[in-house]
Amino acid sequence: MPKFDTTRPVVHRAEQMFDLVADVESYPQFLPMCESLKVRSRKERDGKTLLIADMTVGYKLIRETFTSQVLLKPDEGIIETKYIDGPFCYLDNKWQFVPSANPEHSEVKFHIDYEFKSRTLGFLMGSMFDIAFRRFTEAFEKRADQIYGRNG
């Protein structure tokens, strides 16, 4: 049952980082192993947005698509992802964006906990997923630098 948690200070506002992570359709442009992402549905209510999305990830000759529910809570600075269907027994992911004392900076908290259904797939993809998840926050920070510039 791989799990990964990190907190990363960034030189971008919490709202900017939230918006960047919430823009799931852009993930294939910069996120490690993400080959495609399609939003099936989008519902808004009480200032929150619920997405159902299919993400295809790949490494070498292996391709897997899984479906997730993504809950965007901008007022709380939180994005929660719950697994629906695909190669996992479960996958839980949470992002939290916390303003810093400097209003142009923030902290990005990232948590992911997952387990593959298949031991074989877990063996083949597990180490690459672990590496990719460890690089996620870095990939988003680099993307933020490209879009927003550096607020040094």
Side-chain angles (χ1 to χ4, degrees):
M1 293 172 267
K3 185 191 298 188
F4 178 69
D5 290 280
T6 188
T7 299
R8 189 175 179 101
V10 295
V11 294
H12 301 285
R13 294 190 318 272
E15 299 81 13
Q16 290 175 317
M17 295 305 294
F18 178 95
D19 291 345
L20 193 80
V21 176
D23 182 16
V24 297
E25 291 94 343
S26 295
Y27 286 8
Q29 297 174 30
F30 68 93
L31 203 56
M33 295 174 52
C34 180
E35 295 188 351
S36 69
L37 195 141
K38 181 183 178 205
V39 174
R40 287 189 194 183
S41 68
R42 179 184 307 261
K43 296 178 185 175
E44 296 186 28
R45 183 175 169 192
D46 300 327
K48 298 175 184 167
T49 304
L50 181 66
L51 309 173
I52 304 296
D54 295 328
M55 179 186 242
T56 300
V57 295
Y59 176 68
K60 296 188 179 181
L61 299 176
I62 300 171
R63 301 284 172 278
E64 289 289 340
T65 299
F66 61 95
T67 304
S68 297
Q69 168 185 293
V70 181
L71 181 58
L72 309 174
K73 303 176 183 179
D75 292 343
E76 299 171 44
I78 293 174
I79 297 174
E80 296 173 331
T81 303
K82 300 291 181 196
Y83 174 73
I84 296 175
D85 187 40
F88 299 97
C89 292
Y90 69 88
L91 183 147
D92 290 313
N93 172 227
K94 181 177 180 180
W95 293 86
Q96 186 173 9
F97 308 91
V98 182
S100 295
N102 178 338
E104 295 301 313
H105 294 194
S106 63
E107 275 189 347
V108 176
K109 296 180 179 187
F110 176 80
H111 164 82
I112 192 154
D113 184 9
Y114 67 97
E115 183 177 355
F116 286 101
K117 287 180 187 174
S118 157
R119 286 185 188 262
T120 303
L121 186 61
F123 177 75
L124 293 172
M125 294 285 287
S127 63
M128 285 311 303
F129 264 66
D130 188 51
I131 291 167
F133 291 145
R134 291 176 187 276
R135 293 184 180 160
F136 270 19
T137 51
E138 182 180 322
F140 281 99
E141 186 175 358
K142 286 181 181 178
R143 178 76 171 170
D145 289 348
Q146 291 172 346
I147 291 175
Y148 304 121
R150 293 219 17 121
N151 295 326

